[in-house]
Amino acid sequence: MADQLIRATAAGGGIRVVGVITTKLTEVARQRHQLSYVATAALGRTMAAGLLLASSMKRPQSRVNIRIKGDGPLGGILVDAGLDGTVRGYVDNPAVELPPNAAGKLDVGAAVGRQGYVYVVRDVGYGYPYSSTVELVSGEIGEDITYYLATSEQTPSALALGVYVGSNGVEAAGGLLLQILPRAAEDLEMVATLEQRLSSLTGFTPMLRANKTLPQIFEDLVGDMGLTILPESQLVRFHCPCSFERMLGALKMLGEDELQDMIEKDNGAEATCHFCNEIYRTSSDQLAELIADLQQDRQEANR
Ligand code: ZN
């Protein structure tokens, strides 16, 4: 199944269901950042969460940033996801590897750390982004984001995130989000039912690896509760809007002295985009052009 996001409702619109498959985009991130197994799982889960969170926003340019900062060896995780289906992200220490946990799974909780924060910013695209911070629950990311949704956004939610990494790379990745909307939220039993159903499933990645489609998984979960699957599926992908021109713009901000220094000491400049690990190289000639631009800007300002 291609990387995609599918929406549905149940219980007469009282339950919102979103599923996302991120297998290919997580593999793109793994290769770009040369992520270890556990780093692939940590970043992959966070990217799936970002896409699921962004999916409930309304304005086309809306984006969600999730920063997770725990006390584990992985360092921080940063993900930027949009309602348009694009996502990018990185971890501070991509090479960190840990032995499996007691359940034989990738030990994301130990890699992220159990003390720390989840910081979420929702930006609808015209300023005044909404941001909120909660403490980490387990560092496993799914539980941490669920806690964030329940406390900061007051939306009772059940969330499953999964990444399966085999010896040839990412074999399955994605997530499922079930949310009780305000008019149904008083029904606490429903929250408990959904949580129970989600936890009784064999896990999200095993279902994907068994070739279940998102609609089939939705059917398993809430098929008896008046499930309505929205017909359009949305493609999702790893995408970073960085470019050589943007990098030149950022270099220009450093000012003439700094640029002159780069020409004399390094014979050019090299900049790496944190989000996608793309390396941009500039020659001394290009840096000299930037200096000439700055000098011209200054002369025009003085005129
Ligand atoms: Zn980039």
Side-chain angles (χ1 to χ4, degrees):
M1 220 177 166
D3 280 4
Q4 60 192 278
L5 185 141
I6 294 180
R7 297 170 170 86
T9 61
I15 301 174
R16 183 171 169 268
V17 186
V18 196
V20 69
I21 292 177
T22 55
T23 308
K24 293 184 180 69
L25 71 84
T26 306
E27 174 63 14
V28 169
R30 187 187 73 85
Q31 290 184 12
R32 277 197 167 264
H33 292 296
Q34 291 160 17
L35 300 169
S36 68
Y37 281 78
V38 76
T40 304
L43 183 60
R45 288 182 194 177
T46 314
M47 289 196 298
L51 288 166
L52 290 172
L53 260 56
S55 76
S56 67
M57 297 174 81
K58 299 285 183 285
R59 285 171 62 98
Q61 60 273 66
S62 298
R63 300 198 75 80
V64 171
N65 280 7
I66 302 176
R67 177 183 284 281
I68 294 175
K69 186 75 189 82
D71 61 352
L74 202 61
I77 304 172
L78 185 59
V79 159
D80 169 46
L83 178 59
D84 63 359
T86 61
V87 62
R88 57 181 182 158
Y90 64 90
V91 302
D92 284 344
N93 302 311
V96 165
E97 197 67 276
L98 292 178
N101 63 18
K105 300 234 171 98
L106 292 170
D107 202 346
V108 173
V112 170
R114 305 191 200 282
Q115 301 285 320
Y117 294 90
V118 181
Y119 182 65
V120 178
V121 181
R122 285 189 183 268
D123 190 343
V124 292
Y126 55 82
Y128 309 110
Y130 166 82
S131 70
S132 186
T133 307
V134 296
E135 286 188 36
L136 286 177
V137 177
S138 66
E140 293 284 340
I141 297 168
E143 284 172 282
D144 305 299
I145 301 291
T146 305
Y147 180 66
Y148 160 79
L149 287 168
T151 55
S152 287
E153 302 199 357
Q154 278 98 41
T155 312
S157 310
L159 176 68
L161 302 170
V163 175
Y164 184 86
V165 195
S167 53
N168 293 319
V170 180
E171 290 179 20
L176 269 177
L177 176 63
L178 293 149
Q179 293 190 300
I180 318 280
L181 299 177
R183 55 185 156 149
E186 61 269 24
D187 192 348
L188 290 175
E189 258 177 54
M190 193 183 272
V191 180
T193 305
L194 291 180
E195 273 176 355
Q196 200 193 353
R197 287 191 183 186
L198 203 56
S199 63
S200 72
L201 292 175
T202 49
F204 187 61
T205 45
M207 289 190 286
L208 286 185
R209 293 178 71 216
N211 289 321
K212 284 215 174 186
T213 64
L214 285 175
Q216 284 167 344
I217 296 170
F218 290 178
E219 204 59 64
D220 288 352
L221 269 171
V222 289
D224 59 340
M225 296 173 91
L227 175 69
T228 308
I229 298 172
L230 276 67
E232 59 279 349
S233 70
Q234 180 188 15
L235 296 179
V236 294
R237 67 195 167 104
F238 188 98
H239 172 73
C240 185
C242 69
S243 66
F244 187 72
E245 284 67 34
R246 282 185 187 216
M247 190 275 303
L248 286 184
L251 279 177
K252 204 172 154 181
M253 310 265 279
L254 295 174
E256 288 171 44
D257 292 348
E258 190 86 13
L259 292 171
Q260 192 59 48
D261 224 40
M262 287 174 168
I263 293 175
E264 284 161 17
K265 288 191 184 143
D266 307 320
N267 194 29
E270 193 179 283
T272 305
C273 174
H274 278 306
F275 273 109
C276 68
N277 222 21
E278 189 74 32
I279 299 169
Y280 295 101
R281 290 187 182 83
T282 9
S283 65
S284 287
D285 288 350
Q286 284 163 323
L287 292 177
E289 274 179 44
L290 289 181
I291 293 176
D293 277 359
L294 283 167
Q295 286 168 343
Q296 199 179 349
D297 290 351
R298 198 171 38 166
Q299 277 165 9
E300 280 171 14
N302 288 342
R303 205 169 287 156

